[in-house]
Amino acid sequence: MARAFKGDANAEASSFRNAGIVEINHGLTMAAMIYSTLFCHFYESVLSAATEVDFSDEDEEITQMIVDELERSAFEPILIADQSVGKWATEGNVYAAHPLLIELPVRRTENDYHTLVTAAETFVVAHEFCHHMLGHTDEYFRHAGGAKKVVYQWLSQIDADGIMEKLNSSQKQEVEADVAAFLLTCGLLSEGGSRPRVYRAVGGSMIALVALAHVNQSWVSEGVSSTHPGVLERYEILAKIIKEITMRLPIGEEGKGHPIGFLIQFRGFISVVLQTISSRMGGDVDPPSLLNIFSWMIDLEAEFKEEHKDYHRGEVEDS
Ligand SMILES: [Zn+2]
């Protein structure tokens, strides 16, 4: 395991005389820090919109002012990151030149933030480690067959055939490594996927995906010639795996607290980042709106609660 200070903001697995090497680039850690900060701002604003804004208030002007302020604090850091991506690419170095890329919202603790950054690094290292485990770097690795079998059992459980069929062999390996890395980091292979570890794995994998996509401009795959699938395809597979793993977990008190709720926060965040990029590229895409994203997330949550209820209905009747 080694840290590289030059090269792309990424990580790599290679083998050298039967030893598996994993390199993680410093730029990737910087990107994980920056996108964790952006997510913390987004999360705070959504939380405030949900708990502190009284949308039934007669004084619409005040409500609008509060929403505008929340929108600014959620979206300004994303806009700054988007304006910096080109510079990071030309200088070959990811860094935070603006305080909004590194300063946390007041209510966020350093601890939450570091947990998220570490979780993103952990996911990336696990992904590279799994390239070794799955025999991608050394086809004679003796455990590769078993590891592959576990991954393909999960892929068939989520009906991923349609997505997998369109991928070339290198892209398939990336999906295999993503799935194995998620199973590994959420603790499913050792302790059955405990709730805190699932949360960490959701946060880590999502920050890693969005940071890699934005920094390396790899939202969509360039087709069969690309070594990696597009990040949106990787997201889709992971989201299905996460749902498959967590559906059995009950929803916490007062309808809150399920890893899918956390995943929906990231889905909202990823959409805002994408919409910010598209609106800056011209064309007719409007910049994101906090209220639109917020109500979309509420719909997704309601949809999930229904699905969750259906899934558990049998159990309640049985008992
Ligand atoms: Zn990979």
Side-chain angles (χ1 to χ4, degrees):
M1 168 87 202
R3 210 174 236 302
F5 288 91
K6 279 189 175 168
D8 293 341
N10 215 329
E12 233 176 78
S14 56
S15 76
F16 180 71
R17 291 181 188 160
N18 293 334
I21 297 169
V22 171
E23 268 178 73
I24 176 165
N25 189 282
H26 181 66
L28 184 103
T29 300
M30 279 310 297
M33 290 167 79
I34 291 170
Y35 288 87
S36 294
T37 309
L38 304 190
F39 176 73
C40 288
H41 282 285
F42 173 77
Y43 186 88
E44 274 304 312
S45 288
V46 171
L47 198 67
S48 303
T51 54
E52 286 162 29
V53 183
D54 178 7
F55 290 101
S56 62
D57 193 332
E58 306 251 300
D59 196 340
E60 284 173 15
E61 212 170 298
I62 297 232
T63 310
Q64 191 56 47
M65 266 170 59
I66 299 172
V67 170
D68 287 349
E69 180 52 28
L70 290 177
E71 188 166 274
R72 196 194 53 73
S73 57
F75 296 169
E76 206 183 341
I78 297 174
L79 190 62
I80 291 163
D82 192 43
Q83 288 164 342
S84 316
V85 168
K87 204 164 183 281
W88 295 338
T90 47
E91 296 180 12
N93 187 8
V94 180
Y95 55 94
H98 194 288
L100 280 182
L101 297 182
I102 214 79
E103 270 170 18
L104 294 178
V106 257
R107 285 195 300 194
R108 278 281 110 170
T109 65
E110 288 277 320
N111 206 10
D112 294 338
Y113 163 78
H114 287 297
T115 303
L116 196 54
V117 174
T118 313
E121 283 188 314
T122 307
F123 180 79
V124 171
V125 170
H127 171 104
E128 301 306 331
F129 176 77
C130 288
H131 275 310
H132 290 309
M133 284 299 290
L134 291 156
H136 299 161
T137 48
D138 181 351
E139 58 179 313
Y140 300 109
F141 180 60
R142 66 186 189 284
H143 295 299
K148 262 206 157 102
K149 205 173 142 198
V150 173
V151 166
Y152 276 90
Q153 270 164 0
W154 281 94
L155 283 172
S156 89
Q157 235 167 291
I158 60 162
D159 288 325
D161 294 358
I163 306 176
M164 293 301 275
E165 268 167 23
K166 293 189 206 121
L167 306 177
N168 64 31
S169 59
S170 155
Q171 294 168 337
K172 278 189 187 124
Q173 291 189 342
E174 294 308 320
V175 170
E176 291 167 14
D178 275 348
V179 171
F182 194 88
L183 299 176
L184 191 64
T185 50
C186 80
L188 198 88
L189 305 173
S190 51
E191 53 192 72
S194 66
R195 200 177 263 261
R197 283 192 65 171
V198 171
Y199 269 97
R200 260 182 80 117
V202 168
S205 57
M206 291 299 130
I207 290 291
L209 282 195
V210 75
L212 283 170
H214 201 187
V215 168
N216 302 316
Q217 304 288 294
S218 55
W219 293 100
V220 274
S221 145
E222 278 145 33
V224 283
S225 61
S226 299
T227 54
H228 285 60
V231 164
L232 295 178
E233 288 151 316
R234 293 174 71 182
Y235 168 85
E236 204 183 321
I237 299 249
L238 275 181
K240 283 184 174 181
I241 289 280
I242 293 168
K243 208 179 203 179
E244 189 71 22
I245 292 174
T246 61
M247 213 51 172
R248 63 184 169 82
L249 296 174
I251 295 180
E253 281 169 12
E254 295 166 7
K256 280 183 190 161
H258 191 281
I260 293 294
F262 195 37
L263 180 68
I264 291 171
Q265 301 277 351
F266 282 101
R267 195 157 164 190
F269 176 62
I270 292 172
S271 299
V272 168
V273 175
L274 272 175
Q275 211 178 328
T276 304
I277 299 171
S278 320
S279 67
R280 268 185 21 95
M281 290 203 298
D284 45 10
V285 180
D286 290 328
S289 130
L290 185 67
L291 284 189
N292 285 348
I293 287 286
F294 180 57
S295 59
W296 179 59
M297 286 164 58
I298 289 177
D299 290 346
L300 287 177
E301 243 183 74
E303 212 176 279
F304 171 69
K305 275 184 197 157
E306 275 307 306
E307 213 180 310
H308 190 267
K309 220 199 263 166
D310 284 344
Y311 179 90
H312 287 275
R313 187 159 284 143
E315 295 170 15
V316 178
E317 281 162 10
D318 288 347
S319 58

